[in-house]
Amino acid sequence: MAEFTFELNDDQKQVRDWLHGFAADVMRPAAAEWDEREETPWPVIQEAAKIGVYSLDFYAQQFFDPTGLGIPMTMEELFWGDAGIALSLVGTGLAAVGVLANGTEEQIGTWVPQMYGDADDVKVAAFCSSEPDAGSDVGAMRTRAVYDEAKDEWVLNGTKTWATNGGIAHVHVVVAVVDPALGSKGHASFIVPPATPGLSQGQKFKKHGIRASHTAEVVLEDVRVPGHCLLGGKEKLDERLARARERAGTAGGERVRNAAMATFEASRPAVGAMAVGTARAAYEVALDYAKTRSQFGRPIIDNQGIAFQLADMRTRIDAARLLVWRASWMAVTGKPFTSAEGSMSKLYASETAQRVTAQAVQILGGNGFTREYPVERMHRDAAIYTIFEGTSEIQRLVIARTLSGMPIR
């Protein structure tokens, strides 16, 4: 078991500094352009692939860091660079994790490398779960997968929404209903290979923030995928569905739901780390500005009204990072989230990002409201953290239910 420490080791510091350099030298100079274009920053992704930042090997190394700090450290530095570009760099990881969590060794070896491509031909992947009427309420999912036994194929029909890289991905991972009677326990995940007929991009969303990240609907019309594209395989699925039917309405069923929630809990600190990166970036801009901007013959940081805001901003950022690190360490060492520590970290960090970026805009005054300074973009980007991977309201619900043991609604 890795010993908890507040100090990064030498290898982690080297990776952090390497990522910071890439974020400062490549991502930041390109951030405003790709935000305005609202397009996937393929040249930046390719640069990241050339040096190994955008690669399966790199993310696997960070994921298996025994301290648990590899992923949050990576997320913080990349999102310090720019949230929109960073999400284009890490969005493929959502699909990769979906395969790693549910796929067989053969499926993992076949599909995950294809999601990234290589430095000469970069690819992206998409994880498709949310639907127009099924966001937080995953039990309302309508996309269906029906097995055609004669052809050993699954037929998928439905519409997914809010899919990062949706429609432009080389590989799509789609969550669909295979047994509607079982609610959320009747779901399964499928690989949709490249150029599969029937899959198309629907509406591309024009967003308030993270505009360099492609977000779109994915439409599935009689999409046929081979049986081997069911993640985990049909035998495993049939066994799981049989157990779920037996446990329906029993205490065992409740334990299944709690186990699923624990999986989601473990992923939320990564989103918290993204929020910390954006908050830290905005704070640093505001601090530098307050030191150099003079009014009434002195730097504005000499005024308590400004200095105290900066003190609060830095305190909240450091507190958010500690919550993220605690939850990440707990997850990697197998410690149970008895107080929903994963949701705590995501809730506090995401709301910190919104608050700190708003304060940064205020400290810069009129300049902060223009696109000449990056805090305007950072403030827009920060809004997403309280929404995706479970809204702040959902996080509070998870925390309250965990603490009380009551079915709070």
Side-chain angles (χ1 to χ4, degrees), residues 104-122:
T104 64
E105 289 187 8
E106 182 179 359
Q107 289 170 330
I108 293 169
T110 298
W111 296 111
V112 175
Q114 291 189 44
M115 294 179 176
Y116 290 89
D118 54 45
D120 296 321
D121 186 21
V122 293

Side-chain angles (χ1 to χ4, degrees), residues 10-125:
D10 289 342
D11 289 341
Q12 290 169 328
K13 289 177 181 177
Q14 184 176 5
V15 171
R16 180 199 61 192
D17 293 345
W18 174 59
L19 290 169
H20 189 82
F22 176 79
D25 298 339
V26 180
M27 295 174 67
R28 284 202 164 181
E33 175 188 351
W34 291 101
D35 178 72
E36 290 285 349
R37 292 175 63 166
E38 299 192 51
E39 296 174 358
T40 300
W42 290 109
V44 181
I45 297 174
Q46 189 157 23
E47 285 299 313
K50 286 179 180 178
I51 66 170
V53 171
Y54 185 76
S55 71
L56 174 60
D57 287 346
F58 171 70
Y59 287 110
Q61 289 173 11
Q62 303 316 307
F63 183 81
F64 290 110
D65 182 335
T67 70
L69 301 185
I71 289 296
M73 178 188 66
T74 297
M75 296 301 173
E76 180 175 339
E77 292 305 323
L78 292 178
F79 281 76
W80 173 89
D82 178 68
I85 293 177
L87 197 56
S88 286
L89 292 173
V90 305
T92 293
L94 297 173
V97 168
V99 177
L100 290 167
N102 300 297
T104 64
E105 289 187 8
E106 182 179 359
Q107 289 170 330
I108 293 169
T110 298
W111 296 111
V112 175
Q114 291 189 44
M115 294 179 176
Y116 290 89
D118 54 45
D120 296 321
D121 186 21
V122 293
K123 306 292 185 183
V124 295

Side-chain angles (χ1 to χ4, degrees), residues 271-291:
V271 179
M274 298 174 188
V276 170
T278 298
R280 188 183 113 212
Y283 159 77
E284 290 175 1
V285 173
L287 178 62
D288 288 343
Y289 185 88
K291 289 179 177 179

Side-chain angles (χ1 to χ4, degrees), residues 142-205:
R142 295 180 180 176
T143 297
R144 291 294 307 275
V146 178
Y147 184 56
D148 183 342
E149 189 170 359
K151 295 184 178 181
D152 186 26
E153 292 179 337
W154 288 89
V155 184
L156 279 61
N157 282 282
T159 299
K160 295 295 182 179
T161 194
W162 310 122
T164 299
N165 299 329
I168 67 170
H170 188 63
V171 176
H172 290 76
V173 178
V174 177
V175 182
V177 179
V178 295
D179 189 336
L182 293 175
S184 61
K185 295 191 290 296
H187 297 174
S189 296
F190 299 85
I191 291 286
V192 180
T196 299
L199 184 148
S200 62
Q201 179 184 306
Q203 175 187 6
K204 178 187 175 182
F205 295 104

